């Protein structure tokens, strides 16, 4: 068994190595504290860097899903309001049609009913062209290529 002699120089060398090692760890920890980040470079921890990248991608996906949900809810609210309005206007048109069947009405009353029904028709056509975020709610074409138009553009006035 050989004995190695420990010299003063060796002890000083090991002490310095330990101090430099501690100084390096301290420097790394100070950098993390000052930046607020555990991973300042991918080389700090490749596996943790990969996990952080996956987490960021997941956060982006969740943000997009939240945005899609909000858009869908607004879309459905717009559709619900439009359909409710269309139902009310259709009921009113039905009531007017039933009133028009009354044989005791004079021509001026029938003209008033016809003009109100025409106004309801225009309003229903407007509802059919409802958009949300510049997209047609009930299918169809964008505003530049709309097919649902008023009767005045497509034919003569209604028969009385």
């Amino acid at each position: 068994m050989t004995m190695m002699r420990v010299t003063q120089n060796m002890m000083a060398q090991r002490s310095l190595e330990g101090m430099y090692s501690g100084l390096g760890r301290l420097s790394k920890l100070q950098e993390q504290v000052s930046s607020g980040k555990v991973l300042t470079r991918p080389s700090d921890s490749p596996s943790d860097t990969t996990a952080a990248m996956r987490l960021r991608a997941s956060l982006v996906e969740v943000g997009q899903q939240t945005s899609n949900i909000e858009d869908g809810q607004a879309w459905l609210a717009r559709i619900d309001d439009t359909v409710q309005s269309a139902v009310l206007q259709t009921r009113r048109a039905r009531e007017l049609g039933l009133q028009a069947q009354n044989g005791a009405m004079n021509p001026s009353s029938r003209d008033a009913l016809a003009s109100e029904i025409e106004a309801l028709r225009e309003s229903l056509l407007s509802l059919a062209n409802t958009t949300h975020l510049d997209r047609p709610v009930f299918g169809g074409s964008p505003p530049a290529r709309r097919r649902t138009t008023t009767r005045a553009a497509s034919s003569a006035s209604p028969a009385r």
Side-chain angles (χ1 to χ4, degrees), residues 10-28:
M10 290 173 68
M11 287 180 14
Q13 184 69 27
R14 287 202 183 219
S15 294
L16 281 175
E17 286 174 4
M19 287 176 29
Y20 284 132
S21 173
L23 186 61
R25 288 192 308 268
L26 178 63
S27 173
K28 183 177 178 179

Side-chain angles (χ1 to χ4, degrees), residues 75-97:
W75 182 272
L76 290 174
R78 179 71 173 214
I79 289 172
D80 187 46
D81 292 343
T82 304
V83 169
Q84 285 179 1
S85 181
V87 166
L88 291 174
Q89 291 179 19
T90 304
R91 284 182 184 156
R92 178 65 181 148
R94 182 179 180 272
E95 291 170 4
L96 293 174

Side-chain angles (χ1 to χ4, degrees), residues 104-127:
M105 291 187 80
N106 60 26
S108 65
S109 296
R110 285 182 188 256
D111 286 343
L113 287 176
S115 66
E116 188 174 347
I117 287 175
E118 184 60 30
L120 287 171
R121 181 183 174 280
E122 295 290 327
S123 179
L124 285 169
L125 287 173
S126 173
L127 290 174

Side-chain angles (χ1 to χ4, degrees), residues 3-62:
M3 294 285 282
M4 217 167 130
R5 196 171 134 186
V6 177
T7 64
Q8 188 69 24
N9 193 18
M10 290 173 68
M11 287 180 14
Q13 184 69 27
R14 287 202 183 219
S15 294
L16 281 175
E17 286 174 4
M19 287 176 29
Y20 284 132
S21 173
L23 186 61
R25 288 192 308 268
L26 178 63
S27 173
K28 183 177 178 179
L29 290 173
Q30 283 179 334
E31 183 180 358
Q32 289 175 354
V33 168
S34 67
S35 70
K37 298 178 180 179
V38 174
L39 300 173
T40 54
R41 292 174 220 75
S43 61
D44 289 344
S45 175
S47 62
D48 289 343
T49 302
T50 303
M53 290 172 62
R54 283 190 191 125
L55 183 60
R56 282 192 192 112
S58 294
L59 288 174
V60 168
E61 287 176 15
V62 167

